[in-house]
Amino acid sequence: MAVTRFDIAGIGNAIVDFLLPTNDEFLNRHDMPKGAMSLIDADRAMKLTAAMQGGITASGGSVANSCAVAAALGARVAFLGKVAKDEMGEAFRREISGHGVHYATPPLEAAIPTARCLILVTPDGQRTMNTYLGAGGEFGMDDLDETIIMASAVTYLEGYLFDPPAAQAAFAEAARMARAVGNKTALSLSDAFCVDRHRGSFRRLISQGVDILFANEAEICSLYQRNDFAEAAQDAAREIPLAVLTRSEAGSVILHNGTQVEVAAAPAQVIDTTGAGDAYAAGFLAAYTRGESLHTAGTLGAKAAAMAISQMGARPPAAELRTLLG
């Protein structure tokens, strides 16, 4: 393996999140499938933003969240993702850099605004997301930084960014760059609806060189078109060197070279499930790249996820995350 400057290089959507606590009636009125991530156009983004009075703004994006949390947990982290040359883009850049994440992707010059994710959180903690990809969806081959990818122990790819064809090609190339120097590639499936849209493409990418897969129960069952988690897990174990499968309050299952490691969920009072999987992946990768055991990595992931769902928003304060290292 090459000498690394970074433990993790994340590639994903650079998004500004807008969160609002709401109820099922609001979701029904705006025709939103509860718990799903839906892609929306600029017009719907403007209308929903206007309807979400009193929301909370924060930098987001699934893998960007993981990068911020991993940096707080002591990992050396870089992020690749596209923002516009606008106020939201500058806010995103300041915030992720403030978390200690190296971020140097040039802004988009075209007149397309920075991406945003409108997140509705119901009293049961479920989050329903409406994503306008904006500038983030323009990420492509030219935005890959080979120097960073080749200097990172793990390049972590975000399934949510898989919708634009240019990003799919960039993912395949990023995996090739990492593999060329003996580094690893990780992929998050992100969302079961995303898997439904791109099952074949995800399977091809996995077969071409994904070393670590992160998925929850619904996502892994969708990937292999199984109704039973155990059967889907067996499929993953046959195809992927390291599969990290989360099951909410049932904990997580880690499959590696014929072994299965089970990790209990950490206790938490559920306030907002936004970013739970992002925080888990961050904790896991931060420990994994330090050479910790799979059980230790899964345990740190579970604790980070519990902290994330115990507050509004996807990124717990860095000072609180650092208490998990004691």
Side-chain angles (χ1 to χ4, degrees):
M1 184 178 291
V3 175
T4 57
R5 175 185 172 193
F6 300 105
D7 300 308
I8 305 160
I11 302 179
N13 281 311
I15 294 180
V16 176
D17 286 344
F18 192 53
L19 296 94
L20 179 73
T22 190
N23 51 39
D24 289 351
E25 193 275 330
F26 184 96
L27 303 184
N28 294 333
R29 189 165 73 248
H30 293 278
D31 194 26
M32 298 178 188
K34 185 175 181 177
M37 190 285 282
S38 302
L39 294 175
I40 59 175
D41 60 19
D43 182 61
R44 182 159 169 79
M46 294 290 287
K47 289 177 180 176
L48 284 178
T49 301
M52 292 172 61
Q53 296 299 313
I56 301 167
T57 301
S59 292
S62 177
V63 163
N65 290 335
S66 295
C67 287
V69 173
L73 293 172
R76 302 167 300 161
V77 186
F79 177 71
L80 307 177
K82 205 77 170 173
V83 297
K85 193 179 287 186
D86 57 16
E87 186 177 342
M88 278 193 171
E90 286 306 307
F92 178 92
R93 189 177 300 277
R94 283 195 306 272
E95 187 162 348
I96 198 165
S97 298
H99 284 285
V101 176
H102 177 80
Y103 179 51
T105 306
L108 182 69
E109 295 293 337
I112 300 174
T114 293
R116 65 205 60 190
C117 185
L118 308 175
I119 304 172
L120 289 308
V121 183
T122 42
D124 57 2
Q126 284 291 308
R127 81 281 187 272
T128 301
M129 299 185 291
N130 300 270
T131 303
Y132 169 58
L133 291 176
E138 300 298 309
F139 188 93
M141 203 80 75
D142 291 343
D143 297 303
L144 294 175
D145 189 323
E146 186 172 10
T147 302
I148 288 176
I149 292 169
M150 295 179 72
S152 300
V154 176
T155 296
Y156 183 34
L157 309 174
E158 177 181 327
Y160 281 135
L161 188 57
F162 219 61
D163 284 291
Q168 293 188 27
F171 277 12
E173 179 63 11
R176 185 202 65 76
M177 290 175 179
R179 190 166 56 249
V181 292
N183 294 338
K184 296 186 182 299
T185 300
L187 170 68
S188 167
L189 292 183
S190 295
D191 181 271
F193 291 90
C194 187
V195 178
D196 290 342
R197 290 193 297 273
H198 302 296
R199 184 176 295 108
S201 297
F202 275 133
R203 293 287 298 274
R204 280 191 295 277
L205 179 63
I206 288 167
S207 68
Q208 290 167 2
V210 169
D211 303 289
I212 307 167
L213 181 72
F214 291 94
N216 65 24
E217 186 167 356
E219 293 157 6
I220 202 67
C221 286
S222 175
L223 183 68
Y224 293 108
Q225 295 180 284
R226 299 284 195 180
N227 294 320
D228 181 72
F229 171 77
E231 292 179 354
Q234 289 175 359
D235 293 334
R238 283 191 291 268
E239 190 168 271
I240 304 154
L242 176 55
V244 184
L245 310 178
T246 57
R247 307 186 72 191
S248 300
E249 66 274 7
S252 55
V253 177
I254 303 166
L255 306 166
H256 177 60
N257 287 343
T259 64
Q260 178 171 312
V261 177
E262 297 192 15
V263 178
Q269 179 182 1
V270 179
I271 302 297
D272 171 17
T273 58
T274 305
D278 307 338
Y280 182 101
F284 184 95
L285 288 173
Y288 176 80
T289 54
R290 286 199 294 269
E292 304 284 0
S293 71
L294 295 178
H295 190 273
T296 298
T299 299
L300 184 58
K303 289 179 178 178
M307 188 173 285
I309 66 177
S310 299
Q311 47 107 60
M312 284 291 291
R315 301 180 185 177
E320 292 184 20
L321 285 163
R322 284 193 287 270
T323 66
L324 301 179
L325 300 175

